[in-house]
Amino acid sequence: KIVDNTFADYVQKTRHIKNKLGTRIDKNNNRIPVKMNELTFEVIENALNELLRETCLQTTKQVRNHIINMLKCATKIDKVLKVNPLEDREINLIEVKKKKEKKIVAKSDEIKVIEECIKLGYYHLLVALFTGARASEIAGMTWENFDFEENTVAIKQEYMQVKQYDYVDGKIVYKGRKMEVTDLKSKSSDRYLGLPKEIVEILKEYKERQKEVAKRNGFKFKESDFAFTSCNYRPYDNNDIYERMKNLM
């Protein structure tokens, strides 16, 4: 069975394909469906470069790979196409350099940022700033991931909002969202990250306070508990952490 997060990613990529290749404008300026046998190499390449200007290189490459596999199946397995327009041809993606404002904490501002995080109770952002871990990875951290002797944190899982879909009568039906702990996408994503000793000392104090938060909310503290929670011991999700990071920077 395909996990929800992967299925949601397939749905998103499929929508990109339908938006860029599923219709065209006819001579009467009406939008009409495009048949698969009408697709040409030039049409596909232009559509992918248009998508690249709107999204990013990684997304465009993933969509390109889906199209390649789709056309291979159409010609060699389902045999609904006689000729694969991409066979023996390589799509040229013209990457447009987009100017992104990089927000980096200067060395001179580190103490100020640490103090602000402590003041606001944003201990999860301290870990984000000093490890570079993703918001979903920080949300998924439990206390057993932290090694205060070695000053490291293990990245083992993610905690995030996941879109849910069902496949009913040949149609994809959106069911809503749910919070879910998910495995990392690849073995290389499973890693150990170092933490400055000063941050480890702050986290030790925070952990002791979290034991009180757990008790106050009727929970027995466990090492397997989520490390970063609200005052009611609800774990922060990836969106919470991402939005706080934006506000802090």
Side-chain angles (χ1 to χ4, degrees):
K1 183 184 176 182
I2 299 175
V3 297
D4 289 333
N5 202 30
T6 301
F7 195 93
D9 185 64
Y10 287 159
V11 170
Q12 182 193 40
K13 300 303 185 297
T14 301
R15 283 179 177 158
H16 283 314
I17 293 171
K18 288 181 72 174
N19 289 340
K20 295 301 176 188
L21 295 173
T23 60
R24 64 179 176 84
I25 304 296
D26 67 7
K27 60 183 180 182
N28 296 318
N29 210 30
N30 296 318
R31 187 166 289 278
I32 60 173
V34 171
K35 295 179 180 178
M36 191 174 285
N37 60 11
E38 295 176 325
L39 294 176
T40 65
F41 175 85
E42 289 72 20
V43 166
I44 297 170
E45 185 175 63
N46 289 338
L48 285 170
N49 277 300
E50 184 179 324
L51 179 65
L52 180 56
R53 288 191 289 272
E54 297 170 2
T55 57
C56 66
L57 186 60
Q58 182 182 2
T59 295
T60 306
K61 283 183 174 180
Q62 289 171 346
V63 171
R64 178 197 62 189
N65 293 340
H66 283 311
I67 294 171
I68 289 170
N69 291 330
M70 175 188 74
L71 292 172
K72 281 181 180 177
C73 289
T75 51
K76 296 182 179 180
I77 298 175
D78 298 328
K79 299 189 184 302
V80 294
L81 268 185
K82 290 183 179 180
V83 178
N84 181 348
L86 298 186
E87 193 162 8
D88 299 325
R89 300 193 69 178
E90 187 175 342
I91 291 172
N92 181 31
L93 295 176
I94 305 169
E95 188 175 6
V96 179
K97 290 186 178 180
K98 301 172 184 176
K99 290 185 179 179
K100 285 188 177 181
E101 182 186 353
K102 290 187 177 181
K103 295 184 178 179
I104 301 171
V105 178
K107 198 75 178 173
S108 58
D109 290 333
E110 279 186 5
I111 293 176
K112 188 191 300 182
V113 170
I114 291 170
E115 290 174 346
E116 188 69 12
C117 284
I118 294 171
K119 176 184 172 184
L120 296 171
Y122 289 178
Y123 296 93
H124 45 296
L125 296 195
L126 287 177
V127 177
L129 289 167
F130 286 94
T131 64
R134 299 181 183 93
S136 56
E137 293 172 338
I138 292 167
M141 289 177 181
T142 63
W143 286 114
E144 59 192 359
N145 295 141
F146 288 89
D147 187 333
F148 290 153
E149 295 296 320
E150 296 295 328
N151 297 338
T152 61
V153 59
I155 308 297
K156 297 289 185 182
Q157 62 186 20
E158 295 178 287
Y159 183 62
M160 64 177 74
Q161 282 194 24
V162 177
K163 292 180 180 179
Q164 290 185 291
Y165 296 89
D166 262 347
Y167 194 66
V168 181
D169 297 328
K171 293 184 178 180
I172 295 172
V173 180
Y174 177 61
K175 291 171 57 181
R177 297 171 181 260
K178 73 170 183 177
M179 295 307 303
E180 193 173 88
V181 175
T182 64
D183 293 331
L184 301 176
K185 288 187 176 181
S186 65
K187 288 184 179 179
S188 61
S189 298
D190 191 328
R191 62 206 189 276
Y192 290 85
L193 301 174
L195 288 165
K197 192 172 181 180
E198 297 81 2
I199 301 301
V200 168
E201 293 303 316
I202 293 169
L203 290 174
K204 283 181 182 178
E205 294 178 14
Y206 168 65
K207 183 179 181 181
E208 293 305 309
R209 287 198 293 275
Q210 281 298 91
K211 292 178 181 179
E212 294 300 318
V213 174
K215 184 178 179 181
R216 197 162 57 241
N217 284 278
F219 296 100
K220 183 178 180 180
F221 179 88
K222 304 185 297 299
E223 290 293 318
S224 58
D225 288 352
F226 287 109
F228 304 110
T229 73
S230 64
C231 59
N232 62 8
Y233 217 55
R234 179 189 69 82
Y236 293 123
D237 64 40
N238 56 312
N239 291 333
D240 295 329
I241 295 172
Y242 180 72
E243 287 302 318
R244 285 184 168 189
M245 178 62 79
K246 283 202 304 185
N247 292 337
L248 180 69
M249 299 300 282

